[in-house]
Amino acid sequence: QVQLVESGGGLVQAGGSLRLSCTGSERTFSTYAIGWFRQAPGKEREFVATISWSGINTHYSDSVKGRFTISRDNDKNTAYLQMNNLKPEDTAVFYCAAGRVSYSPHSYNYWGQGTQVTVSS
């Protein structure tokens, strides 16, 4: 079982940047794909990005493509989400999850507690 902890959220002005981290508790972290999802108040959890266990394959939602970059460092049991040119509509709680490469949250078995990202206009 993998425990995941997100960090790096905060308050930023529109156009700014943040880098989220997702650190896993087990060495098996490197065997899982990692996905980032977000949930805004009153909305369903939505897919943001995912990266394969090797880091070779990545996929993004259309809403963040070109602005966000997902990466991972398996030696550190950590995945990252670099978020640039942030917009107020990016405001949400961001979650990382471990599982298999997919756009669906149902494909991920383990979830972090979430980190709040707030973008002011």
Side-chain angles (χ1 to χ4, degrees), residues 60-111:
Y60 299 90
S61 69
D62 288 342
S63 61
V64 307
K65 197 172 296 182
R67 300 189 297 122
F68 291 10
T69 302
I70 190 171
S71 63
R72 67 189 299 162
D73 184 343
N74 286 336
D75 289 338
K76 296 181 179 179
N77 285 352
T78 301
Y80 305 96
L81 186 67
Q82 177 66 44
M83 306 186 295
N84 298 329
N85 190 21
L86 282 159
K87 304 176 180 180
E89 52 264 42
D90 293 318
T91 295
V93 177
F94 281 70
Y95 299 89
C96 70
R100 59 181 181 90
V101 172
S102 174
Y103 298 98
S104 171
H106 300 295
S107 297
Y108 297 85
N109 306 98
Y110 307 106
W111 290 81

Side-chain angles (χ1 to χ4, degrees), residues 11 17 21 26 50 57 67 78 111 121:
L11 173 64
S17 298
S21 298
E26 301 293 332
T50 187
N57 296 310
R67 300 189 297 122
T78 301
W111 290 81
S121 57

Side-chain angles (χ1 to χ4, degrees), residues 17-77:
S17 298
L18 285 174
R19 188 177 79 157
L20 305 183
S21 298
C22 171
T23 301
S25 60
E26 301 293 332
R27 292 166 66 180
T28 52
F29 176 91
S30 65
T31 66
Y32 292 100
I34 298 297
W36 285 96
F37 292 78
R38 65 186 181 186
Q39 188 166 18
K43 295 187 177 181
E44 293 187 353
R45 191 168 298 190
E46 67 167 343
F47 168 79
V48 175
T50 187
I51 187 168
S52 60
W53 68 269
S54 65
I56 293 176
N57 296 310
T58 59
H59 303 277
Y60 299 90
S61 69
D62 288 342
S63 61
V64 307
K65 197 172 296 182
R67 300 189 297 122
F68 291 10
T69 302
I70 190 171
S71 63
R72 67 189 299 162
D73 184 343
N74 286 336
D75 289 338
K76 296 181 179 179
N77 285 352

